[in-house]
Amino acid sequence: MSLDAVLADIRACRACAGELPHAPRPVVRVSAETRVLICGQAPGRRVHQSGLPFDDPSGDRLRAWMGLDRAAFYGHPAIGVAAMAFCFPGTDPKGGDYPPPARCAGLWRAQLLAELPKVELTLLVGGYAQAWALGDLAKGSMTETVRAWRDYLPAFLPMPHPSWRNTGWLKRHPWFEAEAAPYLRGRIGLVVGG
Ligand code: SF4
């Protein structure tokens, strides 16, 4: 199956219809030239409305970590985004988003990744992406997995989610923005500038 065919099938997917609090709207942004793949959790409400991944304050923080402005983030062919689930799962009573529907990765992830042969670095943004990609190599918690980020190079970089909800986490773990984020900017610079 070609990448175009997989993307067409994903965009037409309605497998979670009736289980989501809204009609499915799959959001995925990759190309055959994708070299850095950003794998987050699932689109949030604002991304559900715009159809543009990380089109929110989380995206602003992620772009700062990557050293990219919006034009490069959305316009450079080497930068791609494919979350663990492609549709917004809805908001829970506490104001956070529900977990990504597990069905999505089971249906689509392996066949999508098979059509992205140029990916050299995958950003594992949050625990769901880390568990799926690292399996038994993930540590006992998201924090411990991210703390061991050097162990997963050069193919994977585990990261916290850039959500405002993790601002306290970032303050308690300053090594991430002091050490891992500069490394990330260096890798991105090699891809975007090279
Ligand atoms: S979340 Fe994934 S599996 Fe569910 S409807 Fe959207 S694209 Fe399909």
Side-chain angles (χ1 to χ4, degrees):
M1 191 177 256
S2 70
L3 177 59
D4 284 349
V6 175
L7 288 173
D9 284 352
I10 289 172
R11 288 179 178 129
C13 180
R14 297 296 179 267
C16 300
E19 299 172 17
L20 302 173
H22 47 74
R25 184 185 190 188
V27 176
V28 56
R29 191 179 178 96
V30 295
S31 76
E33 299 306 312
T34 297
R35 292 170 61 192
V36 177
L37 184 65
I38 303 160
C39 177
Q41 185 163 313
R45 181 176 300 283
R46 187 157 150 185
V47 173
H48 174 68
Q49 287 161 353
S50 74
L52 206 54
F54 285 105
D55 182 25
D56 53 17
S58 292
D60 292 338
R61 179 179 267 166
L62 176 62
R63 283 182 280 278
W65 287 344
M66 297 175 74
L68 293 176
D69 59 18
R70 284 179 66 92
F73 186 85
Y74 293 114
H76 198 290
I79 307 297
V81 183
M84 289 304 297
F86 300 129
C87 296
F88 172 47
T91 306
D92 69 26
K94 291 182 182 168
D97 290 352
Y98 283 114
R103 169 193 291 128
C104 197
L107 276 175
W108 299 118
R109 198 142 195 90
Q111 36 177 327
L112 179 64
L113 297 188
E115 302 302 331
L116 300 174
K118 293 189 179 177
V119 171
E120 62 197 72
L121 174 63
T122 301
L123 308 188
L124 302 174
V125 183
Y128 291 100
Q130 290 157 21
W132 192 89
L134 302 177
D136 291 345
L137 295 178
K139 311 292 183 195
S141 68
M142 186 279 288
T143 297
E144 291 313 305
T145 302
V146 176
R147 197 190 298 276
W149 59 275
R150 293 177 181 85
D151 294 356
Y152 306 105
L153 299 175
F156 298 107
L157 182 64
M159 307 165 59
H161 197 281
S163 161
W164 61 270
R165 288 178 170 269
N166 277 338
T167 297
W169 187 97
L170 291 165
K171 285 190 177 146
R172 291 193 301 280
H173 304 286
W175 45 266
F176 177 77
E177 289 189 313
E179 299 171 28
Y183 171 84
L184 172 60
R185 283 192 286 279
R187 287 286 300 271
I188 297 295
L190 291 175
V191 169
V192 172

